């Protein structure tokens, strides 16, 4: 029997000193509990998402030094942990010193073995090939089959020999690669345990998929599998990721026999009878990670940790009376003391009494500080200054004046709120101000640059509008157990209220039809094979029911919204032009986005500012539809 300690730790990126101290404490605890092995996550010492910190040799030397401390602490216990392995005598493909993402195995205060990551992801948030030299690359350099380099680890524990298959994160997601590390290890076995150390960010529903994949791997290998992931928060600048841990143990039949509590640093123990393939432990039920409860947990955990990481404990939130700012306020109020939150209502002449009353009611329900700062006077001053100032051509002495259109006036209002009032008020309050934009708005640039698309963190910017509504109901019903977000704010037509054409009292609101466009925009951004207008028109030409099934929106909705191909195509082209046009420039300058979906804006959604383009296939189908 092996007594295994699972060190599901909060890895702090860029702080190998703090991570090492935590690991040493866990090792001591595990030793006191007579554990045979303690397992830590991938890159437990340095952190994983470090950007070009990986290019700092002084940092690499520190990681090595802290790694030696962990090895020395492996006295009466085997320690398996992730760290960077540096080959100072060689260089990587970038000409810098060679670095490997590695799994270290230590016992009796000495390094027993190192296993190098075979498969390196270079998609979504991952950029491994930029920094690390994989085992696959090593095999090419040595002109030796990679299968010869993927070897089990041999250990003797309490006089008994064990064979471990040690892999790192992506090595367990090998379906689309030419190499299957687990199959190779099994062929070189038999194995007693497969160990997967990971640094795997939370994505809504991802654990359900992982459990299917890893259960199958354990079953096919007829070997128990121990997956150890970290908690905490890491980022690549523009995108912030939460890590839920959710470390899990599968027996040799693929059944889950234990899983660590998500989003919690913990040191858990299991006693694994390897001869029985771990079937000595009863199967357990695991929580679903694709529901609104998981979404709230990830967003709340991310906001709380982000505030702690930047040392911010006060926030100012612009509240309009609408749903996005209400959810943002309720979210932050569930994390910070209410006296550390200032809700600021900034009405103009276009704001209704309805929304002003809802903003006030929200503040009262949450117990937060509240202030009303009208912007009408300053907006009028700015508009008058722009339109009243002569523009002079110094070459010939001619002059003219600019016209402030209604559209420009809308942008002036949004920027006056954020760039002037929210920025100035948050500085005086001693905090930062939030960005309340949702993913639907961010997708098509339905926001004002330096206006409502400003702030220190966009906590809701990876949530579609319908998820924002779901979160509102969850906050009321589950987190607060009462109606803190007024029902009227939930029922209200979404509107920016920047002109009389957006009067909520008259039922006038945003141009985005969220019940349809949420799903259209999601297809543009989140589908693994990214959907384009050509795909949309192809599905549409097969029948609106086919398109609705492909998008996942309500059945019968498209025929309700569009009378025929022409208005449907006009709508499609309008939003595609926004999504691939000006919205790109806005997203590049947006605040960091807290990621929860399968593809978040920022580093996860890598894009360039290119011209709007419609493919030849799209133009062909369009012509066919319009000629019928």
């Amino acid at each position: 029997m092996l007594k295994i300690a699972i060190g599901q730790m909060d890895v702090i990126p860029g702080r190998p000193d703090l991570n090492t101290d935590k690991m040493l404490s866990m090792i001591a605890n595990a030793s006191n509990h007579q554990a045979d092995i303690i397992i830590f996550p991938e890159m437990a010492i340095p952190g994983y998402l470090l950007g070009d910190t990986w290019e700092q040799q002084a940092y690499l030397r520190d990681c090595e030094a802290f790694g030696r401390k962990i090895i020395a602490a492996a006295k009466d216990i085997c320690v398996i942990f992730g760290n960077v392995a540096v080959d100072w005598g060689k260089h990587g493909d970038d000409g810098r010193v060679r670095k490997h993402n590695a799994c270290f195995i230590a016992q009796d205060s000495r390094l027993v073995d190192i296993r190098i990551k075979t498969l390196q992801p270079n998609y979504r948030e991952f950029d491994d090939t930029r920094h690390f030299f994989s085992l696959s690359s090593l095999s090419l350099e040595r002109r030796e089959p990679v299968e010869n380099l993927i070897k089990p680890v041999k250990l003797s524990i309490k006089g008994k020999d064990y064979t471990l298959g040690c892999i790192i994160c992506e090595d367990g997601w090998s379906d689309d690669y030419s190499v299957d590390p687990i199959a190779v290890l099994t062929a070189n076995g038999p194995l007693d345990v497969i160990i997967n150390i990971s640094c795997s960010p939370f994505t809504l529903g991802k654990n359900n998929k992982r459990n299917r994949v890893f259960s199958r791997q354990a079953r096919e290998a007829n070997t128990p599998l121990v997956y150890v992931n970290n908690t905490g928060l890491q980022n690549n600048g523009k995108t912030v990721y939460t890590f839920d841990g959710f470390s899990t143990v599968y027996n040799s039949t693929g059944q889950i026999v234990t899983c660590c509590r998500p989003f919690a640093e913990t040191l858990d123990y299991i006693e694994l009878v390897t001869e029985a393939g771990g079937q000595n432990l009863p199967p357990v039920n695991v929580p679903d990670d694709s529901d609104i409860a998981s979404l709230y947990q990830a967003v709340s955990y991310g906001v709380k940790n982000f505030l702690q990481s930047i040392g911010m404990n006060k926030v100012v939130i612009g509240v309009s009376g609408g749903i996005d700012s209400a959810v943002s306020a309720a979210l932050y109020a569930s994390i910070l003391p209410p006296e550390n939150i200032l809700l600021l209502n900034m009405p103009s002449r276009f704001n209704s009494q309805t929304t002003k009353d809802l903003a006030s009611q929200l503040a009262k329900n949450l117990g937060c500080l509240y202030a009303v700062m009208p912007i009408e006077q300053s907006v009028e001053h700015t508009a008058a200054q722009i339109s009243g100032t002569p523009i002079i051509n110094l070459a010939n002495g001619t002059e003219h004046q600019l016209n402030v259109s209604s559209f420009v006036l809308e942008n002036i209002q949004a920027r006056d709120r954020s760039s002037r009032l929210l920025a100035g008020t948050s500085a005086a309050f001693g905090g930062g101000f939030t960005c309340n934009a949702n993913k639907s708005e961010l997708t098509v640039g339905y926001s004002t640059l330096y206006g409502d698309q400003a702030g220190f963190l966009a906590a809701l910017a990876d949530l579609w509008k319908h998820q924002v509504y779901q979160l509102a109901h969850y906050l009321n019903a589950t987190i607060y157990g009462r109606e803190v977000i007024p029902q009227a704010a939930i029922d209200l037509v979404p509107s920016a209220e920047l002109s009389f054409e957006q009067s909520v009292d008259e039922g006038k609101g945003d141009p985005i039809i969220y019940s349809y466009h949420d799903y259209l925009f999601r297809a543009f951004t989140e589908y693994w094979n990214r959907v384009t207008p050509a795909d949309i028109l192809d599905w549409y030409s097969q029948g609106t029911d086919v398109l609705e099934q492909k998008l996942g929106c309500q059945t019968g909705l498209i025929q309700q919204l569009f009378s025929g191909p022409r208005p449907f195509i006009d709508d499609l082209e309008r939003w595609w032009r926004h999504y691939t046009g000006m919205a790109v420039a806005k997203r590049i300058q947006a605040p960091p986005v807290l990621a929860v979906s399968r593809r978040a804006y920022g580093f996860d959604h890598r894009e360039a500012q290119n011209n709007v383009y419609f493919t030849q296939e799209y133009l062909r189908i369009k012509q066919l539809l319009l000629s019928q």
Side-chain angles (χ1 to χ4, degrees):
M1 177 184 291
L2 280 177
K3 186 171 184 178
I4 299 175
I6 300 173
Q8 180 172 290
M9 60 180 287
D10 183 341
V11 175
I12 303 172
R15 292 303 303 269
D17 53 340
L18 299 180
N19 294 329
T20 300
D21 288 345
K22 191 175 298 182
M23 293 168 70
L24 291 173
S25 176
M26 285 187 167
I27 291 170
N29 192 321
S31 295
N32 290 337
H33 282 78
Q34 287 78 51
D36 300 310
I37 300 175
I38 182 170
I39 307 171
F40 292 105
E42 175 186 16
M43 291 295 186
I45 288 179
Y48 187 23
L49 303 181
L50 302 181
D52 287 349
T53 297
W54 288 119
E55 297 175 0
Q56 300 173 6
Q57 292 195 9
Y59 185 79
L60 299 177
R61 285 191 288 270
D62 265 11
C63 292
E64 284 187 317
F66 287 116
R68 288 191 290 269
K69 287 189 176 183
I70 298 301
I71 293 169
K75 295 177 181 177
D76 52 358
I77 188 172
C78 172
V79 181
I80 298 175
F81 66 99
N83 194 11
V84 58
V86 186
D87 189 340
W88 295 99
K90 294 184 178 180
H91 59 77
D93 295 334
D94 61 354
R96 296 183 176 88
V97 64
R98 181 173 295 181
K99 302 172 287 294
H100 302 289
N101 184 339
C103 175
F104 289 71
I105 301 93
Q107 189 181 38
D108 298 326
S109 297
R110 65 181 183 85
L111 180 63
V112 175
D113 225 325
I114 297 176
R115 290 294 177 263
I116 297 170
K117 194 171 185 177
T118 304
L119 310 177
Q120 294 192 151
N122 196 35
Y123 53 82
R124 288 206 60 197
E125 65 271 22
F126 303 111
D127 202 14
D128 284 29
T129 54
R130 178 181 175 90
H131 302 295
F132 305 114
F133 204 78
S134 70
L135 194 69
S136 297
S137 297
L138 201 60
S139 74
L140 290 174
E141 181 181 75
R142 295 180 179 179
R143 298 180 180 177
E144 183 177 1
V146 69
E147 288 79 6
N148 292 357
L149 305 180
I150 302 175
K151 298 178 180 179
V153 174
K154 305 287 187 178
L155 286 177
S156 179
I157 298 174
K158 294 178 180 176
K160 183 176 179 179
D161 293 336
Y162 290 92
T163 304
L164 311 180
C166 296
I167 60 174
I168 304 173
C169 202
E170 188 77 358
D171 294 341
W173 299 88
S174 58
D175 287 354
D176 295 319
Y177 290 89
S178 59
V179 179
D180 183 347
I182 291 181
V184 174
L185 286 168
T186 302
N188 291 334
L191 303 173
D192 293 297
V193 184
I194 298 169
I195 296 171
N196 183 323
I197 63 170
S198 290
C199 182
S200 183
F202 171 85
T203 298
L204 197 65
K206 179 179 177 181
N207 284 321
N208 291 337
K209 179 179 179 180
R210 176 178 52 77
N211 287 333
R212 293 193 300 271
V213 172
F214 286 15
S215 290
R216 172 178 54 81
Q217 291 173 350
R219 186 171 59 253
E220 290 177 350
N222 193 31
T223 306
L225 189 155
V226 180
Y227 161 79
V228 180
N229 190 28
N230 63 282
T231 60
L233 200 72
Q234 301 191 36
N235 71 87
N236 356 23
K238 292 293 289 185
T239 318
V240 180
Y241 300 92
T242 61
F243 291 78
D244 60 339
F246 218 108
S247 303
T248 308
V249 180
Y250 310 81
N251 67 20
S252 58
T253 67
Q255 294 176 308
I256 296 174
V257 293
T258 191
C259 65
C260 296
R261 188 159 54 96
F263 296 106
E265 185 174 74
T266 181
L267 182 60
D268 287 3
Y269 298 90
I270 59 164
E271 294 185 348
L272 200 68
V273 178
T274 56
E275 295 86 352
Q279 296 181 52
N280 60 298
L281 300 171
V284 299
N285 293 321
V286 297
D288 180 12
D289 73 330
S290 61
D291 58 9
I292 190 62
S294 295
L295 181 65
Y296 167 76
Q297 192 175 23
V299 173
S300 176
Y301 181 84
V303 170
K304 181 179 180 180
N305 279 264
F306 190 80
L307 290 171
Q308 290 175 347
S309 69
I310 64 175
M312 183 180 292
N313 58 13
K314 288 185 175 183
V315 296
V316 177
I317 303 174
V319 288
S320 63
I323 190 65
D324 296 316
S325 60
V327 167
S328 185
L331 174 65
Y332 279 89
S334 70
I335 297 168
L336 294 173
E339 63 271 17
N340 285 18
I341 300 173
L342 171 58
L343 304 185
L344 187 59
N345 183 242
M346 299 161 286
S348 73
R349 58 192 168 97
F350 301 118
N351 291 97
S352 66
Q353 192 60 46
T354 299
T355 53
K356 287 187 282 189
D357 290 344
L358 286 173
S360 174
Q361 186 62 49
L362 173 72
K364 183 178 179 181
N365 293 349
L366 292 173
C368 298
L369 302 176
Y370 183 65
V372 178
M373 297 184 184
I375 64 169
E376 189 63 39
Q377 186 177 3
S378 59
V379 168
E380 289 180 351
H381 173 73
T382 300
Q385 190 170 21
I386 293 172
S387 61
T389 301
I391 308 298
I392 304 171
N393 184 333
L394 297 178
N396 57 24
T398 60
E399 62 179 64
H400 69 282
Q401 292 175 309
L402 297 175
N403 174 52
V404 177
S405 67
S406 59
F407 177 73
V408 171
L409 190 64
E410 291 181 18
N411 287 331
I412 289 173
Q413 292 173 74
R415 293 191 181 103
D416 191 71
R417 287 183 173 120
S418 290
S419 298
R420 188 177 70 88
L421 281 181
L422 284 174
T425 302
S426 62
F429 190 57
F433 70 96
T434 66
C435 175
N436 302 327
N438 60 60
K439 194 169 188 176
S440 310
E441 296 167 345
L442 214 58
T443 297
V444 291
Y446 188 60
S447 54
T448 301
L449 201 58
Y450 319 125
D452 51 323
Q453 197 170 300
F456 72 90
L457 175 68
L460 305 180
D462 202 22
L463 276 64
W464 301 107
K465 190 76 167 187
H466 67 272
Q467 292 176 308
V468 175
Y469 282 108
Q470 291 172 6
L471 197 54
H473 288 294
Y474 185 80
L475 284 161
N476 279 350
T478 304
I479 302 305
Y480 288 95
R482 57 189 176 90
E483 187 181 289
V484 294
I485 298 174
Q487 184 61 40
I490 297 173
D491 297 336
L492 193 71
V493 59
S495 175
E497 284 195 303
L498 293 173
S499 72
F500 289 127
E501 296 303 312
Q502 298 170 336
S503 171
V504 296
D505 289 336
E506 297 179 19
K508 299 176 181 177
D510 296 341
I512 302 173
I513 305 169
Y514 296 103
S515 58
Y516 166 63
H517 289 127
D518 268 8
Y519 300 91
L520 175 67
F521 299 164
R522 184 179 67 177
F524 290 165
T525 60
E526 291 185 13
Y527 284 23
W528 191 254
N529 292 309
R530 304 278 290 282
V531 170
T532 69
D535 302 301
I536 299 298
L537 275 199
D538 179 39
W539 296 336
Y540 179 82
S541 67
Q542 297 176 47
T544 56
D545 57 331
V546 173
L547 176 58
E548 287 159 350
Q549 184 180 16
K550 293 285 189 180
L551 296 181
C553 65
Q554 179 186 337
T555 302
L557 179 63
I558 292 174
Q559 285 189 341
Q560 294 176 25
L561 297 176
F562 307 105
S563 59
R566 170 59 69 184
F568 178 82
I569 289 172
D570 288 345
D571 178 85
L572 176 62
E573 291 190 356
R574 173 190 183 183
W575 296 117
W576 180 257
R577 290 180 188 281
H578 281 297
Y579 167 58
T580 59
M582 182 56 70
V584 180
K586 291 183 177 182
R587 286 193 292 270
I588 289 172
Q589 298 188 63
V593 172
L594 181 62
V596 293
S597 76
R598 66 183 63 187
R599 177 161 286 168
Y601 287 119
F603 190 86
D604 190 5
H605 184 271
R606 308 181 201 187
E607 52 190 345
Q609 297 189 65
N610 301 322
N611 292 328
V612 177
Y613 179 70
F614 292 94
T615 64
Q616 296 300 302
E617 179 68 5
Y618 172 79
L619 297 175
R620 183 190 68 79
I621 302 174
K622 174 184 175 180
Q623 183 178 18
L624 182 65
L625 285 170
L626 294 180
S627 64
Q628 293 175 351

